[in-house]
Amino acid sequence: MKEEDVNRCQIQEWYPRFKLVSTRTFIHELPESFVQYLLDDSGPFLLPVSISNEDAFPNRIHNPEEEEDYQVSEGSGDEAEPLSPPSFPELELKIKESIETLGGAIFPKLNWSAPKDSAWISTSGTLRCTTFSEIALLLRSSDSLIHDLCHAYDSCSDKTMSMPPNFFLALRKWYPSFQPEMEFRCFVRGQKLVGISQREDERVKVLDFNPWGAFTLPLLFTWEELEQKPREGDDLDFRIVESRCAVQPGLKTAVPYDYLDVSAGSGWDQFLRNAGEELQRQTKSPEAGA
């Protein structure tokens, strides 16, 4: 894989060509100050101050007395000063306008990735956002976005940089009808479609382009299977999960990395083994094909 291949998979690169068959999207270039805010892991978790007084947790109960007693400070003694949350008024106004134009709700992503691993922290448990504050919460809480910010080119054979020169925030129109069991990932190798894995109804929408290999999950395939050169006359391998209940968010993208310990003997390791065995048992049972 080359840097050029990875760059072509950035949403600001492919969306203009495929927007007629994709989800309506507005793309904003992020200021360096906001990128540094996403990268900063040295202090407390602070959400930006909203100029519109929007709250990422609108239903929470505020206790003014407790908020006055709690102050975040750095340093010690007389030098200690409360830390002020950042503010990005120009970016917030642009995002607010885009959200309103897209119908009031969107899901965000950076150049390559969406913050799927931080959906658990939102009030809806999804990537649905209606305000700048909700977007900032998802982005700031995501571990998977570190790939975009620091490791996008790690698997490139001609790697010369660790991050792109510019970062972009894509605001994609939210559809309540989105269903995980009706998403598919298509694998193209050497300009030939070699596999389709469940991940569309008859109205097809292009959601994303991903680099071959690297951080792209092969889903119901293995990369070894996909790398095999198809023989002349071979049929396209189309894989789906027959049980709707079996289509669930993957652990690698559903929660932060710190939540997962999949080393041998760990609780998650045993859980994944049991889940794999149960899935194989269901697949082989006579009722599975009924």
Side-chain angles (χ1 to χ4, degrees), residues 217-273:
L217 299 179
L219 304 181
L220 299 179
F221 293 93
T222 66
W223 281 116
E224 288 74 16
E225 292 174 322
L226 293 169
E227 289 284 357
Q228 294 178 359
K229 293 183 179 180
R231 293 172 296 183
E232 194 68 32
D234 280 356
D235 293 329
L236 175 66
D237 197 349
F238 187 3
R239 301 184 181 183
I240 64 171
V241 176
E242 295 186 8
S243 171
R244 173 172 292 193
C245 297
V247 181
Q248 300 291 336
L251 286 174
K252 291 184 178 180
T253 57
V255 296
Y257 296 153
D258 292 347
Y259 277 33
L260 293 180
D261 174 13
V262 294
S263 58
S266 68
W268 278 115
D269 174 59
Q270 189 59 47
F271 170 79
L272 293 173
R273 289 176 183 272

Side-chain angles (χ1 to χ4, degrees), residues 68-241:
E68 290 178 1
D69 292 339
Y70 178 73
Q71 286 186 334
V72 178
S73 61
E74 61 181 356
S76 59
D78 297 335
E79 298 178 357
E81 295 182 1
L83 288 178
S84 299
S87 180
F88 309 96
E90 293 183 7
L91 179 62
E92 181 177 352
L93 287 176
K94 292 178 181 178
I95 288 176
K96 180 180 178 65
E97 181 180 352
S98 294
I99 292 176
E100 291 175 352
T101 304
L102 290 171
I106 58 90
F107 66 95
K109 69 174 297 177
L110 294 189
N111 298 34
W112 293 278
S113 306
K116 292 182 178 180
D117 61 322
S118 57
W120 63 275
I121 203 173
S122 74
T123 56
S124 65
T126 69
L127 297 184
R128 181 180 183 272
C129 295
T130 60
T131 66
F132 173 70
S133 297
E134 292 175 342
I135 294 172
L137 174 65
L138 291 180
L139 299 182
R140 190 70 166 79
S141 306
S142 175
D143 283 329
S144 64
L145 291 190
I146 297 299
H147 161 259
D148 288 27
L149 296 170
C150 304
H151 304 290
Y153 302 100
D154 282 4
S155 298
C156 295
S157 58
D158 60 345
K159 178 183 177 182
T160 61
M161 53 186 177
S162 59
M163 61 176 62
N166 303 101
F167 286 97
F168 295 84
L169 174 63
L171 307 177
R172 319 208 69 190
K173 183 177 177 64
W174 175 266
Y175 292 95
S177 58
F178 274 151
Q179 300 177 42
E181 68 271 16
M182 296 305 293
E183 293 183 25
F184 296 85
R185 173 168 287 169
C186 301
F187 296 88
V188 179
R189 182 172 184 265
Q191 300 184 346
K192 181 179 178 62
L193 183 63
V194 297
I196 302 176
S197 175
Q198 189 169 13
R199 178 155 181 256
E200 259 110 291
D201 54 24
E202 294 178 1
R203 293 185 60 192
V204 178
K205 293 287 186 181
V206 176
L207 288 182
D208 210 357
F209 285 83
N210 302 110
W212 181 271
F215 293 90
T216 302
L217 299 179
L219 304 181
L220 299 179
F221 293 93
T222 66
W223 281 116
E224 288 74 16
E225 292 174 322
L226 293 169
E227 289 284 357
Q228 294 178 359
K229 293 183 179 180
R231 293 172 296 183
E232 194 68 32
D234 280 356
D235 293 329
L236 175 66
D237 197 349
F238 187 3
R239 301 184 181 183
I240 64 171
V241 176

Side-chain angles (χ1 to χ4, degrees), residues 57-69:
F57 300 104
N59 296 323
R60 64 176 172 172
I61 299 176
H62 291 270
N63 189 329
E65 294 181 359
E66 291 183 359
E67 291 180 356
E68 290 178 1
D69 292 339

